[in-house]
Amino acid sequence: HQDNLLLLWSLIVSILGIGGVLGASGSRYLTVKYGKKKCLLCNNLLMITAASIMGCSKMSQSFEMILIGRFLCGVSVGFSTPLHHQYVGEISPRKLRGFANSTASFFWSLGKAVGQIAGQRELLGSQSRWPMLMASCGIPALVQLLTLPFFPESPPYLLMHKEDQEGCKKAIRQLWGEGHHQAEIDDIMKEKATMKSIKILSVLELMKEPAIRWQLYMIIILTISIQLCGISAV
């Protein structure tokens, strides 16, 4: 019985990563086809669904709901992690782009810290309140779901993938205000021309590329080391 319980908790912890791999794998294809804003909105619905399932697991007396919720949560996290950085960077003015991208990592770490604090027994980690803790991941998703419709689609996406120059200009004016933004549009056009001459590698081709092999190995080792440091167990 104890071994089965240990296996169950191990699955609950690790299934988030499995979902993350699947979510990250489909991120590029879906964002190119449907746009970053639409994908973020749909991803918020997925996270809210996962939070609702996990929040109702105790009432339903079903550990399977925790597994399903954690898996969907992992898919959502894996899908949104690269997408969020791209969208934030692309809607930011050029002079603030680096700062905007760095805030994503800051709030990622802040969210982890808040989650660890909220998980203490004195707060939401008690036997009666843990479903609220598991469902709390739906709160940021709900906030973004309500506020994101007021933001435009990414200007580079509109110009590079949809070839909608007027839509791109409208999005830029909405984001950055009235003014002369031709320099930013020219930069996007240069990036588009550069992308046409660059072959997009698959994951397997990327791993076989000699020029970046050692850099890729270093990233993999660092990522694995972070997971082995005990953060998942905490």
Side-chain angles (χ1 to χ4, degrees):
H1 177 72
Q2 189 66 28
D3 291 340
N4 292 337
L5 187 61
L6 180 61
L7 176 62
L8 178 60
W9 282 116
S10 300
L11 283 174
I12 290 174
V13 172
S14 60
I15 201 169
L16 181 78
I18 297 173
V21 171
L22 294 177
S25 301
S27 179
R28 180 184 174 276
Y29 170 77
L30 293 174
T31 52
V32 170
K33 185 172 183 178
Y34 298 108
K36 295 177 174 62
K37 179 181 174 180
K38 289 181 181 178
C39 286
L40 281 171
L41 288 171
C42 293
N43 188 67
N44 291 327
L45 292 174
L46 180 61
M47 179 61 82
I48 292 172
T49 302
S52 302
I53 292 173
M54 291 188 292
C56 296
S57 59
K58 183 180 180 181
M59 182 174 59
S60 303
Q61 297 183 347
S62 171
F63 70 88
E64 293 89 352
M65 293 179 68
I66 300 178
L67 285 170
I68 295 171
R70 288 275 295 176
F71 176 76
L72 294 178
C73 187
V75 173
S76 177
V77 170
F79 182 78
S80 65
T81 298
L83 176 57
H84 179 265
H85 284 76
Q86 292 173 20
Y87 184 73
V88 169
E90 290 176 1
I91 67 173
S92 303
R94 183 166 45 182
K95 60 182 179 181
L96 297 176
R97 197 160 295 162
F99 172 76
N101 279 324
S102 65
T103 59
S105 300
F106 169 77
F107 283 109
W108 179 273
S109 302
L110 179 63
K112 286 184 177 180
V114 171
Q116 295 290 343
I117 295 171
Q120 300 300 311
R121 292 184 183 275
E122 293 78 9
L123 297 175
L124 297 179
S126 64
Q127 188 172 359
S128 60
R129 292 192 291 267
W130 65 262
M132 297 171 58
L133 178 64
M134 300 200 74
S136 62
C137 61
I139 297 175
L142 180 61
V143 172
Q144 190 178 74
L145 183 66
L146 296 176
T147 56
L148 191 59
F150 297 99
F151 288 79
E153 180 56 88
S154 162
Y157 172 80
L158 291 172
L159 191 58
M160 294 173 63
H161 297 285
K162 294 297 184 180
E163 298 183 352
D164 184 3
Q165 189 164 350
E166 288 302 318
C168 176
K169 291 180 179 178
K170 182 180 178 181
I172 288 176
R173 286 194 298 268
Q174 183 179 346
L175 289 166
W176 306 338
E178 297 293 336
H180 186 68
H181 302 296
Q182 189 59 41
E184 285 79 4
I185 295 176
D186 292 340
D187 287 342
I188 297 173
M189 294 300 295
K190 290 178 182 178
E191 183 181 352
K192 181 180 180 181
T194 303
M195 291 295 293
K196 286 183 177 180
S197 61
I198 297 176
K199 179 185 177 183
I200 298 177
L201 302 177
S202 65
V203 176
L204 186 60
E205 290 173 335
L206 186 66
M207 296 180 70
K208 292 180 178 180
E209 180 62 38
I212 58 173
R213 183 176 298 166
W214 287 107
Q215 295 91 321
L216 184 62
Y217 288 165
M218 288 177 63
I219 293 173
I220 293 173
I221 292 171
L222 285 172
T223 305
I224 293 174
S225 300
I226 291 173
Q227 296 302 316
L228 293 176
C229 73
I231 188 171
S232 297
V234 172

